[in-house]
Amino acid sequence: MELHDVWFVLIAVLWTGYFFLEGFDFGVGVLTKLLARDRAEKRVLINTIGPVWDGNEVWLLSAGGATFAAFPEWYATLFSGFYLPLLLILVCLILRGVAFEYRVKRPEENWQRNWETVIFWTSLLPAFMWGVAFANIVRGVKIDADFNYAGNLADLLNPYALLGGLVTLSLFTFHGTVFVGLKTVGDIRERARKLAVRVGLVAAVVALAFLTWTQADKGDGGSLAAMIVAVLALVAALGAAQKGREGWAFAFSGVTIVAAVAMLFLTLFPNVMPSSLNPDWNLTVTNASSSPYTLKIMTWCAGIATPLVLLYQGWTYWVFRKRIGTHHIAEAAH
């Protein structure tokens, strides 16, 4: 296997890790409007992801940086063609971080409620927009002979891409709901378990439609296997959620996301960004990659740094592994 193939796989792993981890905290952000009944419950939801949300975003930075270094042509075409959607995602992630930090800086109810609204929308919009972006990458966009994006924003808002956005939004919300069930106690835990089943059924319908469409249009044997794993894992997650087995439900919902993202990358390879204008203008792992020497240096750096990142992030989750409830929230913080 050539180094550019290795880095395609590594970038796929980074995006998969990002969607697995950031997926549930996007989902929790959405649940601040759908599940929480009062200020204390909103505080509980925010506290379930408070210690980890910023660490989860490290995976996005790593995926973006790796794409820039390993496949500069892919990075250039992607970020120029998808400029407005990616800018919207970036603004949302900035405001989301500010909202987590600023919400508790003042005691006024309006102040805190406004920042909670920001958390909701800056969780919902990126969850939807990431699906739109990756669906367009798989489907193919208007790339000309010079590897420049020749379309416009309206071209990105096609039915397939919008369905992809609904898939990521619903899957992330389901993932977040089972995470809340896993991390909380009391009434909010029981309501999260019930909501998980309803959200999971919606996610199952839209995911099955999207994955079937993808397989019929772009798929092969490998992508079909990944699709089967995703569907079976989602069914298992729904069953576990129904029985109140939050740990298994979270594990299976994570497998669903992993398998679905793997399917998208399997349908792409050896392309990294297909052209809908002419297959000869596809960006591939060969014509979009950096030099072999650059990839070699990157491989050594990644081999040293990645285990350290995994260790400190795993340690963070271990430290904050206990369940929380409204009785853990100080009265003054309500």
Side-chain angles (χ1 to χ4, degrees):
M1 181 182 288
E2 299 289 337
L3 278 178
H4 50 66
D5 298 330
V6 172
W7 273 96
F8 179 85
V9 174
L10 291 177
I11 288 172
V13 170
L14 290 172
W15 280 111
T16 302
Y18 173 66
F19 288 141
F20 178 92
L21 296 172
E22 190 86 305
F24 73 73
D25 74 49
F26 281 150
V28 173
V30 173
L31 292 176
T32 57
K33 291 287 187 183
L34 300 183
L35 182 63
R37 290 178 174 174
D38 54 33
R39 312 304 306 287
E41 289 190 352
K42 288 184 179 181
R43 182 66 180 268
V44 169
L45 293 179
I46 293 172
N47 283 3
T48 62
I49 58 174
V52 299
W53 68 267
D54 47 355
N56 294 342
E57 291 187 356
V58 170
W59 290 79
L60 173 62
L61 298 176
S62 300
T67 304
F68 171 77
F71 299 100
E73 289 284 358
W74 183 13
Y75 183 93
T77 303
L78 175 65
F79 278 78
S80 59
F82 292 26
Y83 182 81
L84 288 177
L86 293 178
L87 178 62
L88 175 60
I89 291 173
L90 178 61
V91 171
C92 284
L93 294 180
I94 293 172
L95 290 176
R96 191 167 183 263
V98 172
F100 281 126
E101 298 297 332
Y102 275 38
R103 177 188 172 277
V104 294
K105 297 302 182 183
R106 290 172 58 178
E108 292 89 344
E109 185 173 340
N110 285 339
W111 171 272
Q112 296 191 2
R113 183 184 295 111
N114 289 337
W115 285 117
E116 289 161 1
T117 301
V118 172
I119 291 173
F120 170 76
W121 285 108
T122 56
S123 298
L124 185 148
L125 289 175
F128 178 77
M129 294 303 297
W130 280 126
V132 172
F134 270 83
N136 274 299
I137 292 174
V138 172
R139 174 178 176 266
V141 293
K142 294 180 179 179
I143 300 174
D144 62 22
D146 296 321
F147 300 142
N148 294 319
Y149 179 68
N152 54 46
L153 180 61
D155 294 326
L156 302 179
L157 302 178
N158 55 79
Y160 177 77
L162 294 176
L163 180 60
L166 292 177
V167 170
T168 51
L169 176 58
S170 59
L171 278 180
F172 290 171
T173 304
F174 174 62
H175 198 39
T177 308
V178 295
F179 178 78
V180 170
L182 181 65
K183 286 288 293 178
T184 58
V185 294
D187 181 59
I188 192 171
R189 176 189 178 190
E190 296 300 320
R191 284 186 283 113
R193 288 165 55 181
K194 294 177 181 178
L195 182 61
V197 176
R198 298 197 295 270
V199 174
L201 289 173
V202 174
V205 172
V206 293
L208 182 60
F210 177 76
L211 296 179
T212 302
W213 190 346
T214 303
Q215 179 63 28
D217 190 39
K218 303 280 186 179
D220 56 15
S223 62
L224 178 61
M227 175 183 168
I228 293 172
V229 171
V231 172
L232 292 178
L234 185 52
V235 171
L238 280 168
Q242 178 70 38
K243 295 179 181 179
R245 304 291 298 274
E246 295 101 337
W248 284 108
F250 182 73
F252 282 123
S253 68
V255 172
T256 301
I257 292 173
V258 170
V261 176
M263 178 185 178
L264 296 184
F265 277 94
L266 285 168
T267 59
L268 268 178
F269 187 81
N271 299 314
V272 294
M273 204 165 178
S275 172
S276 60
L277 299 177
N278 189 330
D280 293 334
W281 300 339
N282 289 352
L283 283 168
T284 68
V285 293
T286 303
N287 63 24
S289 69
S290 294
S291 68
Y293 184 73
T294 299
L295 297 178
K296 184 177 180 180
I297 296 297
M298 290 177 60
T299 303
W300 277 104
C301 293
I304 296 171
T306 302
L308 298 176
V309 174
L310 293 175
L311 282 172
Y312 80 68
Q313 193 163 24
W315 177 78
T316 301
Y317 277 92
W318 175 255
V319 169
F320 295 100
R321 66 189 181 278
K322 293 183 179 179
R323 295 177 181 267
I324 61 172
T326 52
H327 61 284
H328 293 111
I329 306 299
E331 185 65 29
H334 288 185

